[in-house]
Amino acid sequence: DQQVKQNSPSLSVQEGRISILNCDYTNSMFDYFLWYKKYPAEGPTFLISISSIKDKNEDGRFTVFLNKSAKHLSLHIVPSQPGDSAVYFCAASAQGAQKLVFGQGTRLTINP
Amino acid sequence: NAGVTQTPKFRVLKTGQSMTLLCAQDMNHEYMYWYRQDPGMGLRLIHYSVGEGTTAKGEVPDGYNVSRLKKQNFLLGLESAAPSQTSVYFCASKQGATDTQYFGPGTRLTVL
């Protein structure tokens, strides 16, 4: 049973526009959420996170929104740049849990 | 400061052969993890360790064994490789107090 789902395997966005990546979860015990970015032939790198006590967290061009009632989070990238082309994974954990649960990933392509 | 390193980067095995993947981290992290990444499946946790001398099963542990004899090293073993174990394997580590995992560059394993 997939507890964290990224229903869009791929997304294509024009350079300079907004990219919105979505993630849904089913486990109501999850209280910490992260986004990782992965380039080909490299390991995932941490991008941004959010705790369940917040509904928004910003870091430069990246903003993560959390809607706890809908069990949904999204990552906004504004403006999108060619270097943002990568696979993005969302992940979640429950307080005290030692593990992260990852979604399937979304491949983002930024077109010039 | 190398972070998380994985050895080897690539390996081809025949069905039934055995091998060990090595993960090393120089950040003095307590927690270490082994994941596999398959197309459309995201990152799935194989085994993890919360400290030297401890190991625990993750989501997909069958066919794998692990050992954490030293704090900085986490070994993943395949006793009798099967084609279903063809995958990219990632190691990660983290500090106990945060949920930010740092990933190695990955090992691409092919089992013929």
Side-chain angles (χ1 to χ4, degrees), chain A residues 32 36 38 43-44 93 98-99, chain B residues 33 37 90 99 101 103-104:
Chain A
Y32 191 65
Y36 279 83
K38 184 185 177 307
S93 70
Q98 297 146 346
K99 305 174 286 185
Chain B
Y33 302 83
Q37 185 197 1
F90 290 101
D99 281 321
Q101 293 184 18
F103 283 81

Side-chain angles (χ1 to χ4, degrees), chain B residues 31-109:
Chain B
Y31 295 74
M32 295 188 74
Y33 302 83
W34 275 108
Y35 293 90
R36 59 179 289 173
Q37 185 197 1
D38 302 291
M41 303 293 287
L43 292 158
R44 293 183 293 168
L45 182 64
I46 304 172
H47 285 282
Y48 65 103
S49 168
V50 302
E52 180 179 323
T54 74
T55 62
K57 293 180 180 179
E59 184 186 355
V60 288
D62 294 342
Y64 305 94
N65 56 74
V66 287
S67 66
R68 182 97 182 269
L69 298 179
K70 293 182 179 180
K71 186 176 184 179
Q72 64 268 32
N73 295 337
F74 195 27
L75 279 65
L76 178 71
L78 287 74
E79 289 186 350
S80 180
S84 61
Q85 294 177 305
T86 293
S87 187
V88 181
Y89 292 85
F90 290 101
C91 175
S93 71
K94 71 166 190 175
Q95 290 280 23
T98 70
D99 281 321
T100 302
Q101 293 184 18
Y102 295 88
F103 283 81
T107 295
R108 183 173 293 276
L109 176 66

Side-chain angles (χ1 to χ4, degrees), chain A residues 12 16 20 25 40 42 44 57 82 90 93 104 108 110:
Chain A
S12 186
I20 300 176
Y25 61 97
E42 294 183 11
N57 188 28
C90 69
S93 70
Q104 306 97 311
L108 175 65
I110 306 301

